[in-house]
Amino acid sequence: MERLIKGDSVSTRRKRKTTTTTSIREKKKKKLTSSSSLPYDLLVMIVARVPRSYYRTLSLVSKSFRCMVVSPELYKVRSLLGLTETCLYVCLRFGFTCYKWYTLSSKSSDGGGYVLTRVLTLDDNSPRMMGLCYSDLVAVGSDIYNIGVADKNKTMPTSGVSILDCKTHRWRKSPRMPVELTELSATVLDRKIYVLGRRFHQDDGSWKSSFEVFNTNTQTWDLPSCGGFDSARINFLIDGKLHVVTLFDGVFAFDSKQCRWDLVEQYPSTGTMCSGSFCEVDNVLYSVSKDGALTWYDSDNTSWRDLNGLVGLPKLPSPLDGYGSYVKLTGYGGGKMMVFWNCNLGIHRPFQRDTIYCAEIALERRNGDCWGKLEWFDSMLLVPLETQFVKVLAVTL
């Protein structure tokens, strides 16, 4: 009888909570409907057709619109109408432990253009990242995965994983990695996340590279892909295949059918890859050279070549310029690439600010070469000096 009473009380509380949530949602719908004199469902249909880059402006209209632009109903309608689009999320680090998220939004002024606006998560469970060598960020669909998220009061590598839902801007936990890794490098291929890192082996006291594979469809960690490297440092995609760069053994490509690693370049020119500024667009890998020029990888000749065109693009900072100069690249769908950069070089003065810039480049293959056309570039955000780019990610919403 006591169990039944407790069970009834728990069930009653759950019903009350569900009823309360439903009633709050209904009140917001009624309030929005009354203020606009249009049925709520019709408003959702209208807002669903508005590009998401304008949702920031819509959220300023009222609290009800602010709730609508993050509602599940809105994104369900967008999906049914086939109105999904690519949106950019930028993670910046201020100081040593302060991480903030921004998204590329349209300016509310009549002049047009874009600006980076702050993303405010709707909960207090934002995971703490460990820095560039202990964690990595990747995007799959509308989710951003934080691989190697830090536990509370822990400064060493962890196996934690968290997911940011970019529709609602809420964090949720994901299954942990089977092992703890450091010096992480994660890449997405066919909705699977390939995580390369270094793992400490207790038996002989050595550090060795390890591969872990996460299936985002089943939300499970698969068996590690065959092969291992003692000096692997970074993984990326070339021609749609997973590649690994090692310090001493060359570049290897993964053959998924044969489950093996094939050597594709004995003495790689890894200087370009060490910049950490690279992305793949339409099976072509792009990066930034030591001179600050945009380059692409010619897999047929295993060499890096300059990207032609780009009339009007300012000179980008070189990866060798030192601390404070950063360039980040990401694919933007439809054969385009977005380039973000800042350069806080020179004498640091108190209260001095730095500027983050962005450029959109249309890419084209022509006669065996790659060309780029500058669509636009502009300043995006003023930040304190020594602000660092963590990652620029393209998500589908």
Side-chain angles (χ1 to χ4, degrees):
M1 180 65 68
E2 184 178 357
R3 291 183 179 178
L4 290 175
I5 293 174
K6 290 182 178 179
D8 289 341
S9 62
V10 171
S11 177
T12 303
R13 286 197 299 269
R14 288 177 178 174
K15 289 181 179 179
R16 288 178 180 174
K17 184 176 181 181
T18 304
T19 304
T20 303
T21 304
T22 305
S23 61
I24 293 175
R25 186 177 299 174
E26 292 298 327
K27 287 181 180 179
K28 291 179 179 178
K29 290 182 180 180
K30 290 180 180 179
K31 184 177 180 181
L32 182 60
T33 302
S34 60
S35 62
S36 62
S37 71
L38 290 176
Y40 180 81
D41 293 341
L42 179 58
L43 283 174
V44 172
M45 293 289 290
I46 295 173
V47 175
R49 289 170 167 79
V50 177
R52 194 176 182 275
S53 59
Y54 290 94
Y55 281 10
R56 169 180 170 269
T57 304
L58 284 175
S59 66
L60 300 177
V61 175
S62 66
K63 185 177 180 180
S64 300
F65 271 101
R66 191 157 56 249
C67 295
M68 176 189 285
V69 295
V70 296
S71 65
E73 297 93 342
L74 177 64
Y75 287 96
K76 184 177 181 180
V77 172
R78 286 175 60 86
S79 178
L80 292 174
L81 295 176
L83 297 175
T84 57
E85 57 186 289
T86 302
C87 301
L88 291 181
Y89 279 72
V90 180
C91 182
L92 300 177
R93 188 175 78 176
F94 300 85
F96 293 101
T97 59
C98 181
Y99 293 84
K100 296 180 181 179
W101 287 91
Y102 296 82
T103 185
L104 191 67
S105 303
S106 297
K107 292 181 180 179
S108 56
S109 60
D110 296 333
Y114 298 91
V115 66
L116 283 179
T117 58
R118 178 77 185 277
V119 173
L120 299 177
T121 56
L122 300 180
D123 53 20
D124 296 326
N125 297 321
S126 300
R128 186 166 58 92
M129 284 170 281
M130 295 292 295
L132 299 181
C133 64
Y134 289 127
S135 62
D136 201 0
L137 298 162
V138 293
V140 182
S142 62
D143 294 329
I144 293 177
Y145 286 76
N146 184 3
I147 312 293
V149 59
D151 294 329
K152 291 183 178 180
N153 303 322
K154 189 171 183 180
T155 58
M156 296 299 291
T158 74
S159 58
V161 180
S162 291
I163 304 174
L164 175 62
D165 184 348
C166 294
K167 295 178 180 178
T168 62
H169 292 155
R170 291 184 181 273
W171 287 96
R172 67 180 187 271
K173 292 184 178 180
S174 181
R176 303 175 72 91
M177 287 187 292
V179 296
E180 294 182 350
L181 299 177
T182 183
E183 299 182 20
L184 295 183
S185 174
T187 301
V188 177
L189 178 62
D190 298 330
R191 295 191 64 85
K192 288 187 177 182
I193 303 176
Y194 292 82
V195 184
L196 172 66
R198 287 167 57 80
R199 176 187 177 189
F200 182 75
H201 292 258
Q202 296 280 358
D203 50 355
D204 58 0
S206 64
W207 288 87
K208 295 182 180 179
S209 298
S210 177
F211 241 107
E212 304 296 332
V213 183
F214 185 71
N215 190 324
T216 62
N217 292 327
T218 61
Q219 290 291 296
T220 57
W221 289 93
D222 297 340
L223 292 175
S225 57
C226 59
F229 308 93
D230 293 336
S231 59
R233 286 295 181 269
I234 196 170
N235 63 331
F236 51 88
L237 299 177
I238 299 179
D239 296 334
K241 293 183 179 180
L242 186 67
H243 285 65
V244 166
V245 174
T246 65
L247 289 180
F248 310 108
D249 302 323
V251 179
F252 293 82
F254 182 64
D255 187 337
S256 58
K257 295 182 179 180
Q258 300 295 328
C259 190
R260 70 182 185 190
W261 293 92
D262 297 325
L263 179 66
V264 295
E265 191 174 353
Q266 183 68 50
Y267 302 105
S269 54
T270 57
T272 302
M273 298 307 304
C274 289
S275 68
S277 304
F278 58 91
C279 71
E280 186 198 33
V281 180
D282 295 337
N283 293 329
V284 178
L285 185 67
Y286 297 88
S287 186
V288 182
S289 70
K290 62 181 181 180
D291 299 324
L294 290 176
T295 60
W296 65 281
Y297 186 75
D298 186 349
S299 57
D300 294 332
N301 299 310
T302 62
S303 62
W304 290 94
R305 302 172 59 180
D306 288 342
L307 183 62
N308 294 321
L310 302 180
V311 177
L313 180 68
K315 179 177 173 56
L316 300 176
S318 166
L320 304 180
D321 282 342
Y323 181 82
S325 59
Y326 303 96
V327 179
K328 291 295 181 181
L329 314 177
T330 186
Y332 194 50
K336 293 185 177 182
M337 175 172 61
M338 305 299 290
V339 183
F340 287 83
W341 74 92
N342 71 329
C343 185
N344 21 334
L345 300 177
I347 301 175
H348 291 184
R349 298 180 177 87
F351 309 110
Q352 189 175 353
R353 310 284 282 181
D354 190 25
T355 304
I356 292 178
Y357 296 89
C358 177
E360 181 179 344
I361 298 174
L363 302 169
E364 180 185 3
R365 292 296 297 267
R366 190 190 311 165
N367 299 326
D369 210 342
C370 288
W371 291 75
K373 178 184 178 183
L374 178 65
E375 299 287 334
W376 59 266
F377 85 91
D378 200 355
S379 59
M380 295 286 107
L381 184 69
L382 284 174
V383 295
L385 284 179
E386 300 183 355
T387 299
Q388 294 190 39
F389 278 106
V390 178
K391 207 70 178 275
V392 178
L393 299 164
V395 300
T396 304
L397 295 171

